[in-house]
Amino acid sequence: MKDIMGMMKAAQEMQGRMQEFQAKLSDSTVEGRSGAGMVTVTLTLKGDMKRLRIDPSLFSEDSVEVLEDLILAAHNDARGKAETEMNARMQEMTAGLPLPPGMKFPF
């Protein structure tokens, strides 16, 4: 019975840590860049876009398609960085938990 109580307490502690973790994801940001920094996208680790910066030299009629591609590339770069950072933080937070092999958070 003590083992079950210990597991319940550990689960409650983990739930609290997960809530804190979720809040930190909204506060932390990463930047994605494309076109040698001509387009920069800032995302939270949850994936919400916070800022988009575009070099003024890209604002011409004949560069619309290039600009669209650069925005997409910068967003994808930021999203990849956000996923990497989130996974690293999740791994750090769950280190030491007695999870079965192959089981990952979140379930």
Side-chain angles (χ1 to χ4, degrees), residues 50-98:
K50 291 294 188 178
R51 185 176 303 131
L52 172 64
R53 291 186 186 152
I54 302 170
D55 188 288
S57 67
L58 292 171
F59 291 111
S60 67
E61 263 186 56
D62 59 337
S63 65
V64 171
E65 287 181 26
V66 172
L67 179 57
E68 291 170 346
D69 290 342
L70 289 173
I71 291 170
L72 289 173
H75 183 272
N76 289 336
D77 182 43
R79 190 182 71 220
K81 289 176 181 178
E83 288 175 7
T84 300
E85 181 67 21
M86 186 174 65
N87 288 336
R89 290 183 184 197
M90 181 66 79
Q91 198 169 39
E92 183 180 302
M93 187 177 73
T94 59
L97 284 178

Side-chain angles (χ1 to χ4, degrees), residues 10 22 28 39 41 48 56 58 68 71 94:
Q22 291 292 327
S28 300
V39 175
V41 171
D48 299 326
L58 292 171
E68 291 170 346
I71 291 170
T94 59

Side-chain angles (χ1 to χ4, degrees), residues 7-26:
M7 287 175 57
M8 292 293 290
K9 184 178 179 181
Q12 287 176 337
E13 289 174 5
M14 185 62 187
Q15 183 179 15
R17 284 190 276 175
M18 286 297 288
Q19 289 172 343
E20 289 175 27
F21 179 74
Q22 291 292 327
K24 287 180 181 178
L25 291 181
S26 295

